[in-house]
Amino acid sequence: MGKFKHKFTLHKSSETYRIYTCDDNFVRLDFVSDSCLRVAIYKNKDDILPTFSVNPDNDFLISGRDRLSTDGFHLCKPRIDIDENTEQFTMPCGIEIRLKKDNFILEYRKDGEILFSDRSPLAYNFSGEFGKESYHYITREKGEYVFGLGDKGGLLNKSGRAFRIETADAMGYDAEKSDPLYKHIPFYICENSVGCYGIFYDTSDTSYVDLGKEINNYYPAYKYFKTEDNCLVYYVFFGTKLSVLQQLAGLCGKQTFPPKWSFDYCASTMAYTDAPDSEKQMDGFLQKLDEYELPCKGFYLSSGYTSIGDRRYVFNWNYDKFPSPEKFIKKFADRDIRIIPNIKPAFLDSHPLYNEISEKGYFIKNPDGTPFVTEFWDGLGSYIDFTNPDAFNYWGKKVTECLLDLGITSTWNDNNEFDIRDCDAIAQGFGGGNVQASRIRPILTYLMVASSYLAQAERMPDLRPFLSTRSGNIAVRRLAQTWSGDNRTCFEDLRYCHNIGLTMSLSGLYFYGHDLGGFHGEMPSRELLLRWLQHGIFEPRFTIHSWNEDGSATMPWSYPDIMPIVKKLFNQRKSLIPYLYSCAYNSVENEIPMNAPPLLFYDDKELYSQNDCMLVGTDILVAFIFDEGKENTEIYLPKKGSWYFNGRIYSGGQWVKVSIPLTEEMPYFIKAGSIIPTDEDKTVFTVYPVKNGIFESTFFTDDGLTFNYKNNECVKLKFTVICNENSITVEYKNTGNQPFTPEIRLCKGDKRKVTIKEII
């Protein structure tokens, strides 16, 4: 039909999908669920790479999934109305989708108003009108909010900005401005005056999203996504902000359930393993734990343990630093501290195993079959080709032989951004022939983590594997925890890492954390370290990690004079673990983030200008101090409900001044109508009642280590609390198979009579 003029006709259809064609272009619509549509634009179906992100059945993917598959979807049958040039689909959720077949323009209406639409007159790059890449242009409303996109910096609202969607080893990044960082997650939630929607672009190729930074006189306001992929496959979700996030999570598979110990303090530093007397440094760490009586359940062992000279060689133990790795690991295990070793997916060309791996053909290759060599930490090296089944298995074998057989139970998968940009670098592919390695970088990351996960699962089948990964796509949520990478020791990064964490949470990565204190730069000041700790005690990952410029190690005892305050914060974290662990289970089973901005659950407009607080689970609301020299802040309480704070109860819908001194435990608000479990000598359940009415609360715990909870070998409490002016009745029922009698108390200051009943 020529440029800018493409008249599509229906080619094939059923009650749940429709395929249209124009010249060599195909467009397929799949009605994935009652509130989700998939759009696929392609020229040759056989050229579409598989997906590892979409996984509604939560399978353990090694070869990926056909990107156009509908297996596992709860397909819906929309009502369809057709005339000559347009078609209209009414989804069960009430969204009306209008298709103009000229140039294939989709328009989405909610309650008769346009929620958003493809940009007219052309939204897609059917005949090279916009260049070489695949494009998607859609409308943009002034004042709309956009959340998500993985670990993107700056404010929570990404509207008006533009980002690259790819992974980078961004050591010492600026948490406000640097881009890209470590994750490849082309998903965002948009909220405008009509409602909410989310879009997930299912691609592993390097991509770019512009959320209003670009303007063009020839078009009304727009935003766009472009990718180097040869096709465009995307999902559109409708609903509330929370339901959109939950739909993404359901589409991509369940978040892995970390063991309970991982929510305790897990230490780390580059300094100890870089030192020539590493084991002595580690022994000193244990002595300091004893001296200050601090809890610790894990130690992330930085890559210095693999050094030969000044270089790092994955799977190579430096026996000068650690004469007997088995004894070293057992020493920590006897203290109930897990060693979590750093492993990297590239082998330097001087690595003792390099020639062996090269001869086996396990590296990413050049077109002539030789190993592809690129810059890596400390020199040149080659990446393992995890799309090669033999290389995938080789990695798992080395994880087992060099780490797990020594008594290690966890892995820290690091520097796994696969920084391959050369178009000539070739991966073996997924059974269908070679593929350009630069196109599948986040898939290589996922497969690295999958190989480590499988090795751990096979070596210790009764334990839930624990892995941490720095990079990845949304698929890594099924295997590992993550963190925000190599941040800086400054107040600005404290503030914006807070937003990066919440942005990851709004992108489906619920189990995250930060290098508390900052990873790179000078030793943090006393004030900065304490503010980081005050923040970190509320996040899933509670880890101090550093590579300070002067070679020092940021540790809880870096400033002995503030240790009384540090101990208070560590003890507060310890007391919160029953609540955090129960929230983690709720994240896995119900896709409720452990940490989220209040605006995910509430629609008060005041919340959209408030960035310095977060919800922990759904019942704890906490504000933070991110400015040096400041001790006071204000927090807005959502209108829906009331909130307890320091023995008082505050009505929602107001701003409250909060003092957060450096010398005390962190204060926080608790939602009226909740029950908070805390661990003092044993778990105690404190009831925070409403004035009148009924509310429910749940609690989960188990052995913290195994998969036995899936067979109901756990505690699952459901509380029903009936409140009136003079009395409170707390009914509870345990539907798990582990016997449990909760100790229940009423919050301080409430004098009503309490009756407790177990429901059998």
Side-chain angles (χ1 to χ4, degrees):
M1 297 288 293
K3 304 288 185 177
F4 290 95
K5 294 182 179 180
H6 307 279
K7 189 174 183 63
F8 281 82
T9 58
L10 184 64
H11 171 68
K12 189 177 180 181
S13 68
S14 76
E15 292 182 307
T16 62
Y17 77 88
R18 299 173 78 77
I19 299 175
Y20 305 83
T21 61
C22 177
D23 299 328
D24 61 345
N25 293 297
F26 290 81
V27 182
R28 175 170 176 145
L29 302 182
D30 285 284
F31 301 96
V32 170
S33 73
D34 289 354
S35 54
C36 177
L37 172 72
R38 182 177 68 188
V39 182
I41 299 173
Y42 55 95
K43 295 186 183 297
N44 185 346
K45 182 181 177 182
D46 293 337
D47 292 337
I48 301 176
L49 290 177
T51 179
F52 287 77
S53 294
V54 174
N55 188 7
D57 290 328
N58 211 51
D59 297 325
F60 193 85
L61 296 181
I62 299 298
S63 301
R65 167 188 167 103
D66 181 343
R67 242 195 290 185
L68 300 186
S69 171
T70 58
D71 292 346
F73 294 160
H74 300 290
L75 298 169
C76 81
K77 303 173 183 178
R79 191 183 78 221
I80 302 175
D81 299 292
I82 300 174
D83 63 29
E84 184 177 352
N85 294 314
T86 64
E87 297 182 3
Q88 180 167 301
F89 316 106
T90 303
M91 304 282 282
C93 66
I95 294 292
E96 294 178 348
I97 304 170
R98 297 182 182 180
L99 167 63
K100 300 175 184 177
K101 288 185 281 189
D102 289 353
N103 283 341
F104 210 89
I105 301 296
L106 291 165
E107 178 184 279
Y108 305 87
R109 289 180 174 259
K110 178 185 177 184
D111 299 327
E113 296 186 77
I114 296 177
L115 180 62
F116 79 102
S117 71
D118 289 342
R119 189 190 72 175
S120 293
L122 190 65
Y124 305 101
N125 197 22
F126 290 128
S127 294
E129 291 93 341
F130 304 131
K132 294 182 179 180
E133 294 90 354
S134 298
Y135 279 79
H136 183 208
Y137 286 91
I138 62 175
T139 57
R140 173 172 56 87
E141 180 183 291
K142 183 178 180 180
E144 69 183 16
Y145 297 91
V146 180
F147 308 105
L149 295 173
D151 56 349
K152 298 304 183 186
L155 298 176
L156 283 178
N157 181 16
K158 309 305 181 192
S159 181
R161 300 181 63 194
F163 301 93
R164 283 163 56 194
I165 310 295
E166 65 174 336
T167 60
D169 186 340
M171 207 276 283
Y173 64 87
D174 181 324
E176 180 186 10
K177 299 176 181 177
S178 294
D179 183 69
L181 297 180
Y182 304 94
K183 312 296 190 296
H184 183 289
I185 302 183
F187 163 78
Y188 63 82
I189 302 167
C190 183
E191 182 177 25
N192 59 30
S193 64
V194 177
C196 293
Y197 62 92
I199 301 183
F200 172 62
Y201 293 93
D202 187 14
T203 182
S204 64
D205 276 88
T206 294
S207 305
Y208 180 86
V209 62
D210 187 310
L211 301 171
K213 185 176 181 179
E214 176 182 297
I215 58 175
N216 188 315
N217 180 58
Y218 299 115
Y219 302 97
Y222 60 86
K223 51 185 178 282
Y224 72 91
F225 177 86
K226 73 173 179 179
T227 176
E228 295 177 8
D229 207 336
N230 57 1
C231 64
L232 189 70
V233 180
Y234 67 92
Y235 294 77
V236 187
F237 310 101
F238 308 102
T240 64
K241 296 183 290 293
L242 176 60
S243 71
V244 165
L245 177 58
Q246 290 173 316
Q247 288 177 73
L248 170 79
L251 180 77
C252 297
K254 282 185 178 292
Q255 177 90 51
T256 189
F257 190 18
K260 192 172 186 177
W261 62 261
S262 68
F263 294 93
D264 213 319
Y265 170 55
C266 294
S268 190
T269 180
M270 293 280 291
Y272 289 179
T273 54
D274 279 358
D277 58 344
S278 291
E279 189 162 5
K280 182 180 178 181
Q281 297 284 335
M282 296 293 291
D283 288 342
F285 169 79
L286 293 179
Q287 293 168 7
K288 287 291 187 180
L289 290 179
D290 291 339
E291 179 182 346
Y292 291 111
E293 298 179 321
L294 291 180
C296 180
K297 292 296 184 183
F299 196 102
Y300 288 91
L301 195 69
S302 291
S303 55
Y305 79 95
T306 68
S307 64
I308 301 175
D310 61 354
R311 293 188 172 191
R312 301 156 201 274
Y313 298 89
V314 62
F315 299 132
N316 175 78
W317 280 91
N318 182 318
Y319 292 106
D320 292 331
K321 294 182 178 183
F322 297 95
S324 174
E326 296 97 329
K327 290 182 180 179
F328 159 67
I329 294 159
K330 186 176 185 302
K331 186 191 313 177
F332 274 69
D334 288 344
R335 296 281 300 268
D336 200 26
I337 301 174
R338 285 82 173 165
I339 294 296
I340 312 166
N342 183 288
I343 49 178
K344 310 178 189 299
F347 288 72
L348 295 174
D349 56 11
S350 54
H351 195 293
L353 294 173
Y354 187 89
N355 290 337
E356 173 193 335
I357 298 171
S358 176
E359 289 171 4
K360 292 178 183 294
Y362 292 167
F363 288 130
I364 299 291
K365 297 181 177 63
N366 294 308
D368 64 2
T370 58
F372 172 75
V373 177
T374 188
E375 186 71 24
F376 195 65
W377 202 358
D378 299 327
L380 296 175
S382 299
Y383 286 100
I384 293 288
D385 179 4
F386 287 92
T387 70
N388 178 337
D390 292 333
F392 180 95
N393 293 333
Y394 176 83
W395 177 269
K397 180 181 177 184
K398 300 307 290 185
V399 168
T400 300
E401 293 176 349
C402 301
L403 302 172
L404 307 183
D405 285 349
L406 304 183
I408 282 169
T409 60
S410 307
T411 57
W412 170 13
N413 297 258
D414 197 16
N415 297 94
N416 52 358
E417 291 75 30
F418 286 85
D419 191 14
I420 302 170
R421 303 171 191 276
D422 191 324
C423 295
D424 291 331
I426 300 299
Q428 180 169 308
F430 314 101
N434 291 339
V435 62
Q436 188 176 312
S438 62
R439 297 192 58 198
I440 58 167
R441 292 171 54 199
I443 292 176
L444 290 167
T445 302
Y446 163 80
L447 289 172
M448 173 203 179
V449 179
S451 181
S452 300
Y453 182 101
L454 194 59
Q456 292 173 221
E458 290 177 346
R459 183 66 172 78
M460 297 158 287
D462 295 331
L463 297 181
R464 303 202 299 263
F466 178 76
L467 302 88
S468 186
T469 181
R470 188 171 72 178
S471 185
N473 55 12
I474 190 67
V476 298
R477 78 190 300 268
R478 305 192 297 267
L479 305 173
Q481 170 219 71
T482 190
W483 82 105
S484 60
D486 297 341
N487 55 5
R488 302 176 302 162
T489 56
C490 59
F491 274 90
E492 290 81 3
D493 268 30
L494 168 59
R495 176 184 298 281
Y496 289 107
C497 278
H498 165 79
N499 291 337
I500 287 174
L502 294 181
T503 296
M504 285 195 285
S505 198
L506 291 171
S507 306
L509 300 178
Y510 301 151
F511 299 142
Y512 73 89
H514 308 288
D515 285 348
L516 303 180
F519 175 76
H520 182 62
E522 300 176 352
M523 170 70 75
S525 67
R526 291 168 173 80
E527 182 181 359
L528 179 57
L529 179 58
L530 288 172
R531 292 303 187 199
W532 262 116
L533 290 176
Q534 287 179 335
H535 191 270
I537 62 173
F538 295 101
E539 292 177 319
R541 177 187 188 263
F542 183 51
T543 296
I544 300 171
H545 183 41
S546 62
W547 193 17
N548 297 332
E549 292 175 346
D550 63 0
S552 62
T554 305
M555 283 286 154
W557 45 81
S558 290
Y559 298 103
D561 56 306
I562 64 170
M563 277 309 298
I565 311 166
V566 171
K567 287 187 67 173
K568 286 182 181 179
L569 293 171
F570 270 62
N571 289 336
Q572 187 176 21
R573 170 65 174 206
K574 193 78 175 178
S575 73
L576 285 167
I577 287 177
Y579 177 74
L580 295 173
Y581 188 64
S582 187
C583 289
Y585 177 78
N586 198 26
S587 292
V588 172
E589 294 302 313
N590 301 309
E591 302 296 350
I592 302 295
M594 287 188 67
N595 295 150
L599 58 81
L600 182 64
F601 299 93
Y602 303 95
D603 293 327
D604 306 30
K605 287 304 176 186
E606 291 84 351
L607 295 171
Y608 291 75
S609 60
Q610 177 171 264
N611 290 291
D612 295 352
C613 72
M614 69 181 178
L615 281 166
V616 184
T618 57
D619 297 334
I620 289 177
L621 177 61
V622 58
F624 302 101
I625 298 290
F626 296 141
D627 296 307
E628 189 172 10
K630 187 177 177 182
E631 287 202 344
N632 298 296
T633 187
E634 282 190 310
I635 184 171
Y636 179 80
L637 305 179
K639 292 176 184 176
K640 189 177 180 181
S642 300
W643 300 83
Y644 287 86
F645 184 73
N646 286 346
R648 291 180 56 187
I649 187 164
Y650 294 80
S651 298
Q654 64 172 313
W655 289 89
V656 176
K657 293 182 179 180
V658 180
S659 174
I660 309 177
L662 284 168
T663 55
E664 300 297 332
E665 290 186 344
M666 276 292 286
Y668 52 84
F669 291 80
I670 298 174
K671 185 176 69 176
S674 63
I675 298 179
I676 304 297
T678 52
D679 191 352
E680 296 165 348
D681 295 323
K682 68 174 185 176
T683 303
V684 176
F685 296 82
T686 303
V687 180
Y688 294 85
V690 294
K691 187 174 182 179
N692 285 286
I694 300 174
F695 68 88
E696 294 180 344
S697 183
T698 60
F699 172 75
F700 170 89
T701 193
D702 67 342
D703 60 26
L705 293 170
T706 72
F707 291 99
N708 291 344
Y709 74 94
K710 292 187 175 183
N711 298 322
N712 209 34
E713 293 301 321
C714 58
V715 175
K716 290 181 181 177
L717 294 181
K718 180 178 180 180
F719 297 95
T720 301
V721 184
I722 303 141
C723 306
N724 58 46
E725 291 185 4
N726 299 313
S727 66
I728 294 171
T729 301
V730 181
E731 299 176 348
Y732 72 90
K733 183 174 183 178
N734 181 12
T735 59
N737 291 335
Q738 286 186 3
F740 190 85
T741 302
E743 181 177 326
I744 300 170
R745 69 186 181 192
L746 192 58
C747 64
K748 292 179 181 179
D750 198 310
K751 305 301 183 182
R752 284 176 279 185
K753 179 183 177 181
V754 178
T755 303
I756 299 172
K757 297 180 180 179
E758 180 179 9
I759 307 299
I760 305 300

